[in-house]
Amino acid sequence: MSRGNRVVGFDLVFDNLVDLKDHPNLSCFPADITNDAAIPAAAGDAGVLVHCAALVHKRSSDLSRENYFRINHLGTRNVLGGLNPSRLKKIIFLSTVSVYGTIPPGTEPDESSPTRPDDFYGESKLAAEEEIRIFSGKHGISHTILRLSPVYGRSFLLNIHKRIYLPGQRCFYRLGEGNQKLSLCSVNNLVEVICTGVA
């Protein structure tokens, strides 16, 4: 928005955008992506789609396979259906490393690694990736799929404190030999990558 771009957002709630709600280049529409009729008409004006809506682990009282696919797969299909392919130039989709399933110790997946999701979240996000590929291929639209590790930020630290600090945050503690790894992605780095991809 600081570069003069108009941003149109649609989501169930916008509580995390309080500081931006009056920005002249931002329009927010309440919409449930599982309802194709709820996708705002303004989505058809988009030149770039950044799709990050999803049901993730433990964020719902309904973690059934049906609900994961309803939100992550069908929701993606509905979002794509609200776009105008003749205007759209780029799709950036935020997926997850969960599409790889359980990663053997000592290995790091990359784009050539086989996908073997072992939970409903990973399965539904992999299905959403395929929707992106089909849509992009059909309309000749460039797309980028980012398979992210858990994303954290200043206001969203997951359970990092519980993982690395003793109660009271007084000191760091070590488990076993101290060789454990936790892959995390900073929201600041993610925003930078997305803005670079949009430019």
Side-chain angles (χ1 to χ4, degrees):
M1 291 187 296
S2 64
R3 298 174 183 171
N5 294 313
R6 179 169 172 251
V7 175
V8 174
F10 47 103
D11 201 345
L12 293 174
V13 294
F14 293 96
D15 298 345
N16 58 340
L17 295 178
V18 173
D19 295 341
L20 298 173
K21 66 176 183 164
D22 296 324
H23 197 289
N25 288 348
L26 175 65
S27 301
C28 298
F29 297 89
D32 181 345
I33 64 170
T34 64
N35 176 4
D36 60 348
I39 305 300
D45 295 332
V48 177
L49 169 68
V50 179
H51 178 23
C52 51
L55 170 63
V56 297
H57 302 289
K58 301 177 183 176
R59 290 294 179 86
S60 169
S61 58
D62 183 357
L63 297 176
S64 65
R65 184 178 193 276
E66 179 182 359
N67 201 37
Y68 272 112
F69 273 80
R70 183 178 69 86
I71 296 171
N72 297 344
H73 181 218
L74 175 63
T76 296
R77 183 180 295 167
N78 290 341
V79 169
L80 294 172
L83 302 171
N84 180 349
S86 66
R87 292 184 61 93
L88 194 67
K89 296 177 177 57
K90 177 82 175 180
I91 296 173
I92 298 175
F93 179 59
L94 306 191
S95 189
T96 172
V97 293
S98 290
V99 300
Y100 297 116
T102 302
I103 300 167
T107 63
E108 294 184 10
D110 60 26
E111 291 82 359
S112 64
S113 300
T115 53
R116 298 188 182 102
D118 52 15
D119 61 13
F120 300 149
Y121 174 58
E123 290 175 5
S124 63
K125 292 292 277 187
L126 188 60
E129 287 185 13
E130 187 59 20
E131 288 292 332
I132 299 287
R133 287 190 197 91
I134 291 170
F135 182 90
S136 297
K138 179 180 178 181
H139 299 290
I141 297 167
S142 173
H143 71 279
T144 300
I145 295 172
L146 301 174
R147 292 177 174 165
L148 305 172
S149 57
V151 178
Y152 73 94
R154 184 182 303 235
S155 60
F156 185 68
L157 291 174
L158 304 162
N159 58 356
I160 293 172
H161 286 249
K162 288 190 289 186
R163 290 177 186 249
I164 65 172
Y165 290 107
L166 289 170
Q169 303 179 23
R170 293 198 174 111
C171 63
F172 176 81
Y173 70 94
R174 188 174 81 173
L175 296 176
E177 297 297 318
N179 296 323
Q180 297 82 6
K181 291 184 178 180
L182 175 64
S183 294
L184 296 170
C185 179
S186 164
V187 69
N188 296 329
N189 293 140
L190 179 57
V191 168
E192 184 178 348
V193 167
I194 290 171
C195 288
T196 300
V198 168

